């Protein structure tokens, strides 16, 4: 009799625990996970019936992308391996990313260049070796760019050249997070990987309000707020990763591959929106180099939209963003909505 009672009590306890778990999952609560990877903070908010393991799976996946595939400074990564050996065979995923980037290099007239490693290494911006190289050094580094190719899964990187996927890794992470959460019952996901953000809502009518950082302000100051549905958004700005040289000039980390210097296209930042994180990230870098006008065709080619903030404090949109952008800092003016 005693045994039966104990069994009943245990069963009740178990039911209560199971009930609680079930209740939690059904309420559509929000789980937030923050961690450091890809040299930045990754912040993931999952709303809906999502198991706690999903957050762990996302964390492991982003770290895997960084350490085993994309980082050129992680010895064991595929990119580091092809840089070291001047080529080799990469996995299917990496090959697909590189093929997309090869095409984007061509369409952007090399404003985006995947093998800028010799140049970025020379300037060392964001590292303890940052400095302004002299013109001869820059020319020598430029001679080692645009020297890679891909055929199937076989990559070739000429001696002296180096792939640097710093401009797209965070966008790729957004795509991979997107793939994971779509396998779950998540209702809403916001994943920020440095300057690239994944916005996902199961309900296609749902929208998000996204702040675009004020390039002249602090990290939490916004120049404008965009109202958008599910998409990937990436921002490239000259306020990120800067260093001030002994000559008093400030240099940033987005290079113009045509001259080897930080790009000066009249922009403070550009934010690109499209369905793919890889593309939004690559395009934001390319558009920063090209400037507002020259970016128009490139954005059209990829069916992407953009918000440019210029050095003259103008905010210019490309693509159909009519009525979806609200300026929130007085010094900026919305001057144009192209298309
Ligand atoms: P993002 O912040 O996404 O614009 O990426 C900037 C990073 O991409 C830099 O830190 C470099 O590692 C790399 N990079 C800089 N300029 C270019 C460029 N023109 N094309 C491709 N990658 C670049
Ligand atoms: Mg980018």
């Amino acid at each position: 009799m005693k045994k039966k009672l104990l069994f009943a009590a245990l069963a009740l306890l178990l039911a209560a625990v199971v009930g609680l778990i079930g209740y939690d999952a059904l309420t559509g609560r929000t789980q937030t996970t923050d961690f450091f990877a890809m040299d930045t903070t990754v912040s993931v908010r999952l709303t809906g019936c999502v198991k706690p393991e999903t957050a762990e799976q996302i964390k492991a996946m982003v770290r895997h992308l960084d350490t085993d595939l994309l980082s050129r400074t992680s010895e064991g990564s595929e990119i580091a391996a092809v840089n070291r050996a001047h080529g080799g065979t990469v996995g299917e995923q990496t090959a697909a990313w590189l093929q997309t980037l090869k095409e984007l290099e061509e369409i952007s007239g090399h404003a985006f260049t995947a093998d800028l490693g010799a140049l970025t290494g020379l300037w060392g911006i964001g590292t303890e070796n940052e400095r302004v190289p002299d013109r001869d050094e820059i020319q020598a580094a430029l001679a080692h760019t645009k020297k890679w190719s891909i055929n199937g899964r076989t990559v070739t990187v000429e001696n002296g050249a180096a792939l640097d996927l710093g401009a797209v890794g965070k966008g790729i992470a957004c795509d991979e997070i997107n793939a994971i959460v779509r396998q779950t019952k998540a209702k809403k996901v916001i994943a920020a990987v440095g300057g690239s953000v994944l916005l996902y809502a199961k309900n296609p009518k749902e929208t998000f309000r996204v702040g675009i950082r004020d390039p002249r302000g602090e990290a939490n100051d916004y120049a404008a707020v965009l109202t958008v549905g599910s998409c990937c958004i990436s921002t490239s700005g000259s306020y990120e990763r800067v260093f001030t040289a002994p000559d008093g000039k400030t240099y940033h980390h987005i290079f113009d591959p045509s001259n080897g210097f930080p790009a000066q296209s009249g922009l403070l930042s550009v934010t690109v929106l499209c369905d793919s994180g890889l593309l939004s990230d690559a395009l934001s870098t390319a558009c920063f180099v090209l400037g507002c006008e020259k970016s128009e065709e490139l954005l059209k080619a990829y069916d992407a939209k953009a918000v440019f903030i210029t050095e003259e404090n103008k905010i210019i949109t490309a693509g159909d963003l009519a009525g979806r952008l609200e300026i929130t800092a007085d010094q900026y003016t919305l001057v144009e909505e192209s298309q």
Side-chain angles (χ1 to χ4, degrees):
M1 186 65 187
K2 258 190 185 170
K3 260 190 187 165
K4 264 191 185 168
L5 268 178
L6 185 67
F7 180 76
L10 275 175
L12 265 177
L13 187 69
L14 194 66
V17 172
V18 170
L20 254 185
I21 293 168
Y23 175 77
D24 240 7
L26 287 171
T27 52
R29 68 192 174 121
T30 298
Q31 302 172 47
T32 307
T33 315
D34 294 324
F35 56 96
F36 194 82
M38 296 190 163
D39 217 11
T40 192
T41 305
V42 183
S43 177
V44 184
R45 273 170 65 100
L46 302 164
T47 303
C49 301
V50 186
K51 293 179 192 151
E53 299 91 86
T54 301
E56 289 309 311
Q57 196 187 344
I58 288 172
K59 203 192 271 190
M61 182 277 296
V62 177
R63 296 212 159 120
H64 163 67
L65 280 179
D66 192 19
T67 314
D68 305 327
L69 304 182
L70 302 174
S71 168
R72 78 183 182 112
T73 54
S74 163
E75 274 190 25
S77 81
E78 288 193 332
I79 293 300
V82 292
N83 281 345
R84 250 191 330 263
H86 315 305
T89 305
V90 294
E92 255 172 52
Q93 255 191 329
T94 304
W97 296 322
L98 289 174
Q99 275 153 10
T100 302
L101 294 177
K102 181 48 91 182
E103 195 178 283
L104 202 142
E105 278 190 342
E106 278 153 25
I107 298 179
S108 72
H110 278 94
F112 176 90
T113 297
D115 66 340
L116 275 193
L119 186 77
T120 54
L122 182 64
W123 283 82
I125 294 184
T127 72
E128 54 192 24
N129 303 319
E130 56 193 12
R131 68 186 178 96
V132 183
D134 64 42
R135 277 168 198 273
D136 289 347
E137 290 176 294
I138 291 174
Q139 287 313 313
L142 284 179
H144 293 302
T145 64
K146 308 175 193 171
K147 294 283 161 61
W148 76 283
S149 61
I150 179 153
N151 183 2
R153 287 172 48 201
T154 308
V155 181
T156 309
V157 183
E158 279 184 25
N159 200 358
L163 288 166
D164 172 354
L165 300 190
V168 291
K170 299 170 182 78
I172 291 174
C174 287
D175 288 336
E176 296 304 303
I177 296 173
N178 202 358
I180 291 178
V181 298
R182 278 168 192 261
Q183 305 286 319
T184 70
K185 292 187 173 156
K187 282 191 192 153
K188 209 167 172 177
V189 177
I190 302 175
V193 188
S196 286
V197 181
L198 162 73
L199 302 171
Y200 165 75
K202 198 177 176 80
N203 177 355
K205 288 188 184 147
E206 190 136 3
T207 55
F208 299 82
R209 280 170 59 77
V210 190
I212 297 182
R213 184 172 157 178
D214 179 353
R216 299 190 190 278
E218 300 299 319
N220 289 325
D221 295 333
Y222 298 113
V225 175
L226 256 177
T227 303
V228 289
S230 297
C231 66
C232 289
I233 302 194
S234 302
T235 298
S236 291
S238 54
Y239 53 83
E240 267 181 298
R241 281 187 202 245
V242 289
F243 93 101
T244 304
D247 64 5
K249 278 194 196 156
T250 298
Y251 297 86
H252 66 81
H253 71 139
I254 304 167
F255 293 98
D256 183 342
S258 69
N259 61 22
F261 280 86
Q264 288 188 304
S265 57
L267 297 178
L268 296 175
S269 78
V270 53
T271 297
V272 174
L273 297 75
C274 62
D275 291 340
S276 146
L278 168 64
L279 292 177
S280 65
D281 205 356
L283 289 171
S284 71
T285 307
C287 291
F288 191 92
V289 172
L290 290 171
C292 185
E293 277 167 30
K294 289 189 190 153
S295 294
E296 208 171 305
E297 258 181 59
L298 177 65
L299 290 164
K300 273 190 193 153
Y302 285 97
D303 201 15
K305 307 177 200 304
V307 178
F308 298 89
I309 305 186
T310 74
E311 285 171 350
E312 295 168 335
N313 292 348
K314 292 174 183 167
I315 298 191
I316 304 173
T317 62
D320 183 17
L321 288 172
R324 292 206 258 159
L325 188 77
E326 182 192 328
I327 308 247
T328 50
D330 289 346
Q331 76 209 82
Y332 299 103
T333 341
L334 186 62
V335 288
E336 185 186 312
E337 297 213 9
S338 64
Q339 284 189 353

